[in-house]
Amino acid sequence: MPSPQKLAHVVFQTNDVARLRDWWCNLLEAKVQFGSEDVAFLAFDQEHHRIAMAKFGDHELHQPNTMGMHHVAFTYANLGELIYTYERLRDQDILPWWQIRHGPTLSVYYRDPDGNQAELQVDVYDTVEEANAFMYGPEFAANPIGIEFEMEDVVRLHKEGVPDAELVRRPDDPAR
């Protein structure tokens, strides 16, 4: 049976398309491919749209303790790009609610105005094979979620010249 080639897009249901459109455009530096009062389609790469939001009627605000999709993740090419994005958002008082070294990724999580979550990440390993080997190993089995960190520390150490490979990898202590 064939598998999909790629994840095409994610659609958010909202009562305020304009507010969500502006937030996601800012987060991802996306552009509006089409927008109206009731729908918006956003692109940030070669795809015609990756994110959309639509108003299908009035709905209750998403609650963190309800079932459903937890977050959508976006990978940056390198740590410098992730740091640039973090600083750009921080300077607008858009702060992450969680920062974690998962193991295969170094990740920063944000919440949009409706409570949907976005993970901005950078891959730790150069190849999928290396990431898979880590995920099959004992360190990941002992702690599959990861180790929290402070992005401000990463920014400071990056500016001090610490190599990216040292900044993105989580410590080898599975008990943490």
Side-chain angles (χ1 to χ4, degrees):
M1 181 181 339
S3 297
Q5 281 187 309
K6 61 185 175 183
L7 176 64
H9 59 265
V10 175
V11 179
F12 295 105
Q13 182 171 277
T14 184
N15 292 335
D16 190 339
V17 170
R19 179 180 66 165
L20 225 56
R21 176 202 64 221
D22 293 347
W23 192 90
W24 283 93
C25 278
N26 184 35
L27 181 77
L28 302 173
E29 293 192 288
K31 63 180 181 173
V32 178
Q33 297 291 83
F34 174 83
S36 71
E37 186 177 307
D38 295 324
V39 67
F41 298 92
L42 313 180
F44 55 82
D45 62 6
Q46 74 285 351
E47 189 72 12
H48 47 81
H49 75 284
R50 291 286 184 193
I51 302 288
M53 53 275 318
K55 182 175 181 178
F56 298 111
D58 290 326
H59 301 282
E60 293 180 25
L61 188 62
H62 173 77
Q63 299 300 316
N65 62 345
T66 57
M67 293 188 339
M69 186 176 74
H70 187 267
H71 69 274
V72 58
F74 302 90
T75 303
Y76 285 81
N78 56 57
L79 183 59
E81 288 185 8
L82 182 63
I83 287 172
Y84 170 83
T85 301
Y86 165 79
E87 290 181 314
R88 180 179 60 80
L89 296 169
R90 178 202 62 202
D91 293 349
Q92 298 173 51
D93 292 324
I94 300 170
L95 301 173
W97 72 270
W98 196 32
Q99 301 148 84
I100 189 155
R101 286 182 173 94
H102 284 303
T105 65
L106 178 126
S107 302
V108 183
Y109 288 77
Y110 295 86
R111 285 192 178 105
D112 78 9
D114 284 356
N116 302 302
Q117 297 179 71
E119 175 184 3
L120 305 183
Q121 67 180 31
V122 63
D123 287 329
V124 169
Y125 296 100
D126 293 330
T127 68
V128 172
E129 292 78 17
E130 289 175 291
N132 286 340
F134 176 84
M135 291 183 76
Y136 288 127
E139 185 180 345
F140 192 75
N143 180 353
I145 302 301
I147 298 170
E148 293 180 334
F149 72 97
E150 290 295 328
M151 193 65 178
E152 285 296 325
D153 293 338
V154 171
V155 170
R156 179 180 47 78
L157 293 169
H158 187 263
K159 289 178 180 177
E160 290 174 4
V162 174
D164 290 359
E166 290 181 36
L167 295 174
V168 296
R169 293 197 191 233
R170 74 185 202 184
D172 291 333
D173 180 5
R176 291 186 59 192

